[in-house]
Amino acid sequence: MQISNLLVTGGLGFIGSNFVNLFSDKYNIIILDKYTYAANEKNIIPKNVKIIKGDIGDIPLVTKLLEENNIQAIVNFAAESHVDNSINSPKEFINTNIVGTYNLLNSALDYFKNFNKSEFRFLHVSTDEVFGSLNLDEEAFTENSQYKPNSPYSASKAASDHLVRAWFHTYGLPTIITNCSNNYGPNQHTEKLIPNMIKCALSNKPLPVYGNGKNIRDWIFVNDHCHGINLALTKGRIGETYCFGGEAEKQNLEVVNAICEALDSIKPKTDGKSYKSQISFVTDRPGHDFRYAINNSKAYNELGYKLQYNFSQGLEFTVKWYLSNI
């Protein structure tokens, strides 16, 4: 499908801004962003991108943007995404991830029907957390995995996925869903694991690791994920789901140790000690999923997807970026 005009919701956030930076020369991009604490205009490098402050749940605003800019596809990154915040205050997650997605779907559907947008696409970006938790001996998640969300965040994202699927099957809206593993890279808010550890390390503060640090995540460099999203948008089959993982399963403590080793090499402590000396273990969070992992087979076979970064390459790039930008 040939797409020229793209509405990117949540485009000032972590993954959305990296997508915009990578593909601003390919599309005419309009960003719609609520300007929450995790949004930052400085994340956007290209100057040819229009940024609109607003909520995905604002139907008149979204309708106006779709019509005035002849939008051919929506890529929906807009979401509350921090698990700890969802445990402490789930209301915003319900409002944005569920109600916001519902309103955005309705705006898109009206536009699709009223303007006869036969080539229109609605791509919804989701997470592997909707599939719940894996044991060590269980196979990685696929597009056919059962939904078993365990936190308010993952439950709200699961609900939004179900709404997107329903709007395709019931109303004929041309939708595609993507589910990804843990992203890392430039522009990520410092509340998340990797940037938080870098920030704490450089501030000579404890590096807090939940529980025993043995919980496992599959890590994908954000650029690899963004390229996957673009492939799903342009080559994906309508009504389908595509999973993108980094094929880099790591225990949380393993990730923290790797960050410390990178910092030891790039920016050694003045006292000669390793940053690992700052690692501390804190009480585990409620409902902490043990393991996530994604099988990329469908994306490889149908989209021609390829990973460009292994974990070591991506982490070194990320650490150097934060040293220059934190």
Side-chain angles (χ1 to χ4, degrees):
M1 174 184 172
Q2 293 296 318
I3 299 170
S4 297
N5 305 321
L6 201 61
L7 177 64
V8 176
T9 65
L12 298 185
F14 168 41
I15 305 174
S17 65
N18 278 281
F19 180 88
V20 170
N21 291 340
L22 283 170
F23 295 107
S24 63
D25 60 343
K26 181 179 176 64
Y27 305 114
N28 300 316
I29 294 178
I30 310 295
I31 291 175
L32 175 63
D33 199 287
K34 193 177 177 179
Y35 281 71
T36 64
Y37 72 95
N40 190 345
E41 278 192 19
K42 294 180 180 178
N43 288 344
I44 304 301
I45 296 172
K47 304 301 182 184
N48 61 331
V49 175
K50 184 188 294 186
I51 303 173
I52 305 297
K53 184 177 181 179
D55 195 318
I56 58 172
D58 186 340
I59 292 177
L61 174 60
V62 173
T63 300
K64 179 182 178 182
L65 292 176
L66 293 172
E67 294 177 2
E68 289 185 353
N69 296 283
N70 190 28
I71 296 298
Q72 295 161 295
I74 296 173
V75 181
N76 181 32
F77 292 99
E80 295 288 342
S81 64
H82 192 45
V83 176
D84 288 4
N85 291 347
S86 81
I87 294 170
N88 296 327
S89 182
K91 184 177 180 179
E92 282 303 310
F93 290 74
I94 305 303
N95 287 339
T96 297
N97 299 353
I98 302 178
V99 179
T101 300
Y102 163 76
N103 286 334
L104 185 63
L105 284 165
N106 281 335
S107 299
L109 182 62
D110 287 344
Y111 173 71
F112 172 67
K113 286 185 173 179
N114 293 337
F115 288 84
N116 193 28
K117 298 294 181 181
S118 60
E119 293 297 311
F120 184 74
R121 298 287 185 273
F122 184 108
L123 190 145
H124 177 68
V125 180
S126 190
T127 171
D128 60 358
E129 296 191 38
V130 299
F131 302 127
S133 182
L134 293 169
N135 294 320
L136 280 175
D137 59 349
E138 289 184 289
E139 295 292 330
F141 298 132
T142 71
E143 291 78 4
N144 296 318
S145 293
Q146 184 178 347
Y147 274 52
K148 295 181 180 179
N150 292 319
S151 70
Y153 161 60
S154 58
S156 67
K157 288 299 290 183
S160 68
D161 290 7
H162 292 323
L163 289 173
V164 173
R165 178 181 171 86
W167 260 241
F168 165 68
H169 283 281
T170 301
Y171 304 113
L173 183 67
T175 65
I176 296 170
I177 298 172
T178 62
N179 298 86
C180 67
S181 58
N182 277 35
N183 281 233
Y184 66 100
N187 299 347
Q188 191 169 29
H189 193 276
T190 53
E191 68 186 0
K192 296 299 181 81
L193 177 66
I194 290 178
N196 182 49
M197 292 299 166
I198 296 171
K199 182 180 179 181
C200 288
L202 296 176
S203 302
N204 202 32
K205 294 179 178 179
L207 308 182
V209 177
Y210 280 132
N212 59 13
K214 292 185 178 180
N215 296 69
I216 297 168
R217 298 293 180 265
D218 174 25
W219 293 91
I220 184 170
F221 188 61
V222 65
N223 286 17
D224 279 332
H225 180 207
C226 289
H227 281 291
I229 291 169
N230 188 58
L231 285 171
L233 178 66
T234 55
K235 296 184 178 181
R237 290 182 289 138
I238 296 303
E240 290 293 320
T241 296
Y242 296 94
C243 289
F244 300 103
E247 298 180 358
E249 289 187 54
K250 306 285 182 184
Q251 292 184 350
N252 288 344
L253 182 57
E254 199 178 347
V255 173
V256 176
N257 279 327
I259 294 168
C260 291
E261 290 166 6
L263 288 170
D264 288 341
S265 174
I266 301 168
K267 190 178 177 64
K269 287 167 64 77
T270 55
D271 60 9
K273 294 182 179 179
S274 170
Y275 289 95
K276 292 179 183 179
S277 63
Q278 295 169 227
I279 294 175
S280 66
F281 294 91
V282 298
T283 302
D284 207 354
R285 72 181 178 208
H288 195 179
D289 288 339
F290 174 62
R291 172 179 169 242
Y292 305 141
I294 277 183
N295 183 323
N296 283 326
S297 295
K298 183 176 179 179
Y300 287 152
N301 295 333
E302 290 196 16
L303 305 177
Y305 178 62
K306 294 181 180 179
L307 290 168
Q308 301 297 318
Y309 294 83
N310 62 37
F311 183 74
S312 296
Q313 293 168 328
L315 185 65
E316 180 180 1
F317 185 99
T318 301
V319 169
K320 288 180 176 178
W321 187 88
Y322 279 101
L323 286 173
S324 299
N325 292 275
I326 203 163

